[in-house]
């Protein structure tokens, strides 16, 4: 019958529009996905300048788990203290998602603290607060069950950051203390490499999630005193006062940049240098 819904093809036909939208997703054409502000991890030794770097971000908001940023000129959540529980971290992300604001970057100082709070939550929730197994009681550290459960809960944090990025346009900067991770090697001996000092399950999630992973470090020269060449011990001497943010990864360190977010091998550990490097991707 003329004029029936079956014969109407109108712009306001919601069912038809949804069908056309779905079909357009499967046309063979170049992607037009929006390039967002990056998801960045910066890890390094204590006092190298990570917090100063993160707090130099324009229109940033800090979610702190330690007092390293006390006195820095940056907004923070909670406004008058550090996060002391897993719920504090999630509430800070929820506030940024639900409330109107002009913030463009969320800075986490530190991701080590966030994973510790998440682990404590899992220990209390699933293991009755027991870190070690005792007779008749399971423990968080038994057979790595706690770390595996923690990584699943930790995904809520990552998803929250992605919601801020995708729906609020916010970039993410996660600061972390460095640690050593043992890497398996099928072609030879296992080896140690620099990475963030978090458990391997959480780090695996972060490695796949981040657009940039930078190692904040200094240049050292190692001198071996004469007559002690066979001791395997040297004296490290700093070459200069320059702090670097290294994106050139390899066997000795986890670092790198995702395709579409390319970075130089290294830049100075200064916000201006980082902002200049990412500006070409955000135009």
């Amino acid at each position: 019958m003329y004029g029936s819904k079956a014969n109407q093809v109108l712009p306001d036909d919601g069912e038809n529009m949804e069908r056309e939208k779905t079909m357009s997703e499967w046309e063979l054409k170049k992607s037009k996905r929006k390039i967002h502000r990056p998801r960045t991890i910066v890890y390094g030794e204590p006092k190298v300048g990570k917090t100063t770097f993160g707090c130099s971000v324009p229109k940033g908001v800090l979610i702190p788990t330690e007092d390293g940023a006390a006195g820095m000129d940056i907004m923070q959540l909670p406004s008058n203290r550090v996060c002391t529980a897993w719920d504090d971290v999630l509430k800070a992300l929820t506030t940024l998602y639900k409330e109107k604001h002009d913030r463009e970057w969320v800075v986490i100082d530190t991701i080590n603290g966030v994973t510790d709070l998440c682990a404590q939550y899992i220990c209390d929730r699933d293991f009755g607060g027991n870190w070690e197994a005792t007779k008749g009681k399971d423990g968080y550290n038994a057979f790595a069950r706690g770390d595996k459960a923690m990584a699943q809960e930790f995904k809520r944090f990552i998803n929250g950051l992605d919601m801020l990025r995708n729906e609020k346009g916010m970039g993410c900067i996660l600061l972390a203390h460095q640690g050593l991770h043992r890497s398996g090697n099928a072609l030879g001996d296992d080896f140690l490499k620099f990475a963030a000092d978090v458990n391997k399950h959480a780090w695996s999630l972060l490695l796949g999630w981040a657009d940039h992973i930078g190692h904040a470090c200094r240049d050292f020269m190692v001198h071996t005193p004469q007559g002690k060449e066979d001791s395997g011990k040297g004296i490290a001497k700093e070459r200069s006062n320059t702090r670097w943010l290294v994106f050139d990864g390899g066997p000795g360190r986890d670092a790198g940049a995702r395709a579409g977010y390319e970075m130089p091998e290294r830049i100075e550990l200064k916000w201006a240098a980082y902002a200049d490097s990412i500006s070409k991707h955000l135009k």
Side-chain angles (χ1 to χ4, degrees):
M1 181 176 177
Y2 183 77
S4 69
K5 185 175 180 179
N7 292 321
Q8 290 175 357
V9 185
L10 302 175
D12 61 350
D13 185 343
E15 187 176 318
N16 206 41
M17 289 175 68
E18 186 63 30
R19 187 183 302 113
E20 289 179 1
K21 179 182 177 181
T22 302
M23 291 176 63
S24 68
E25 292 178 352
W26 296 99
E27 293 177 5
L28 292 173
K29 57 185 179 182
K30 290 186 177 180
S31 172
K32 293 183 179 179
R33 287 181 295 174
K34 180 180 178 181
I35 298 297
H36 296 278
R37 292 185 177 90
R39 300 168 292 195
T40 303
I41 297 172
V42 173
Y43 71 88
E45 62 187 273
K47 306 299 186 292
V48 75
K50 303 183 299 295
T51 300
T52 300
F53 171 85
C55 291
S56 299
V57 175
K59 292 189 177 181
V61 57
L62 177 71
I63 300 177
T65 64
E66 57 183 51
D67 289 323
M72 292 286 187
D73 185 20
I74 187 172
M75 290 185 180
Q76 75 169 54
L77 285 173
S79 60
N80 59 351
R81 61 179 178 86
V82 301
C83 296
T84 58
W86 178 237
D87 186 61
D88 288 341
V89 176
L90 298 181
K91 190 170 183 178
L93 295 181
T94 301
T95 300
L96 288 173
Y97 181 73
K98 290 185 175 181
E99 300 296 328
K100 290 184 178 181
H101 57 80
D102 65 347
R103 301 296 90 185
E104 296 180 351
W105 295 88
V106 57
V107 181
I108 309 297
D109 189 22
T110 63
I111 196 64
N112 311 75
V114 171
T115 56
D116 287 346
L117 294 176
C118 186
Q120 183 65 62
Y121 170 79
I122 292 298
C123 184
D124 293 338
R125 187 193 71 180
D126 296 352
F127 301 95
N130 299 311
W131 290 97
E132 303 298 335
T134 57
K135 187 175 180 180
K137 293 184 179 180
D138 202 357
Y140 180 98
N141 291 323
F143 306 104
R145 282 198 288 265
D147 281 348
K148 291 176 182 177
M150 173 268 177
Q152 292 300 311
E153 176 69 17
F154 186 66
K155 288 180 181 179
R156 294 178 64 190
F157 171 75
I158 292 177
N159 291 339
L161 292 176
D162 279 343
M163 290 173 66
L164 292 178
R165 182 177 187 246
N166 297 333
E167 300 183 39
K168 292 281 192 174
M170 299 183 73
C172 312
I173 298 178
L174 278 56
L175 307 177
H177 300 303
Q178 76 179 20
L180 288 172
H181 286 226
R182 182 169 297 279
S183 181
N185 180 12
L187 301 177
D189 294 335
D190 294 350
F191 56 91
L192 296 175
K193 60 182 177 179
F194 286 120
D197 190 16
V198 299
N199 77 63
K200 65 179 182 180
H201 302 288
W203 186 235
S204 179
L205 291 174
L206 290 168
L207 282 175
W209 170 84
D211 300 309
H212 291 152
I213 299 175
H215 182 202
C217 56
R218 299 170 286 174
D219 280 336
F220 284 98
M221 177 176 61
V222 178
H223 169 68
T224 303
Q226 188 174 0
K228 296 187 177 181
E229 290 82 2
D230 296 331
S231 68
K233 298 180 180 179
I235 300 173
K237 184 177 181 181
E238 192 174 2
R239 288 181 175 178
S240 72
N241 291 325
T242 304
R243 271 54 170 168
W244 299 100
L245 192 52
V246 179
F247 296 95
D248 184 24
R253 73 176 116 229
D254 277 333
R258 193 187 303 280
Y261 290 90
E262 289 81 2
M263 293 291 289
E265 289 186 3
R266 69 177 186 173
I267 61 174
E268 279 197 63
L269 183 60
K270 294 181 178 179
W271 174 254
Y274 182 73
D276 181 62
S277 296
I278 66 173
S279 61
K280 59 181 178 291
H281 302 306
L282 303 180
K283 292 180 179 178

